[in-house]
Amino acid sequence: MKISELQVKDVIAMETGERLGYITDLDIDSQRGQLKGLVLKLKGKAMGMFGKDEELVIPWSQIVNIGADVILVKKSGYSSRSGDQKIE
């Protein structure tokens, strides 16, 4: 599967049905060559005009299913960070 195919899928919290957004990046462990998680962009204050965008990092272990149109994830286990922080 290509990243472009993942980016067009809605990411949905399984427990609530809440639409979390779209994938903007992948968290990859370059040492092991493994996918660690998905990165979604959240809007900052006033639709991004007066604040930094934040990102939501969803660990791979929280992904329940990748379907044709959506990616279902567990609601717990997310972490957010400001857009200028790097994934380690």
Side-chain angles (χ1 to χ4, degrees):
M1 181 174 286
K2 298 177 183 178
I3 187 171
S4 60
E5 293 171 356
L6 287 175
Q7 289 176 317
V8 297
K9 298 177 189 289
D10 276 326
V11 179
I12 307 290
M14 187 175 72
E15 297 86 351
T16 63
E18 175 186 4
R19 182 184 163 282
L20 301 174
Y22 293 99
I23 298 169
T24 57
D25 203 357
L26 300 176
D27 184 7
I28 298 174
D29 182 342
S30 59
Q31 300 292 326
R32 296 182 181 165
Q34 293 179 334
L35 182 60
K36 291 173 46 179
L38 307 175
V39 180
L40 286 69
K41 184 169 277 192
L42 302 175
K43 292 183 179 173
K45 300 175 188 168
M47 309 243 329
M49 295 176 70
F50 301 109
K52 292 184 179 179
D53 286 336
E54 290 198 11
E55 295 176 333
L56 181 65
V57 180
I58 301 175
W60 186 254
S61 61
Q62 298 302 107
I63 298 171
V64 176
N65 190 17
I66 299 176
D69 298 322
V70 299
I71 299 172
L72 294 177
V73 298
K74 293 179 186 173
K75 183 83 172 152
S76 61
Y78 309 161
S79 63
S80 63
R81 62 173 189 221
S82 62
D84 55 355
Q85 291 177 321
K86 296 197 185 269
I87 298 174
E88 307 231 353

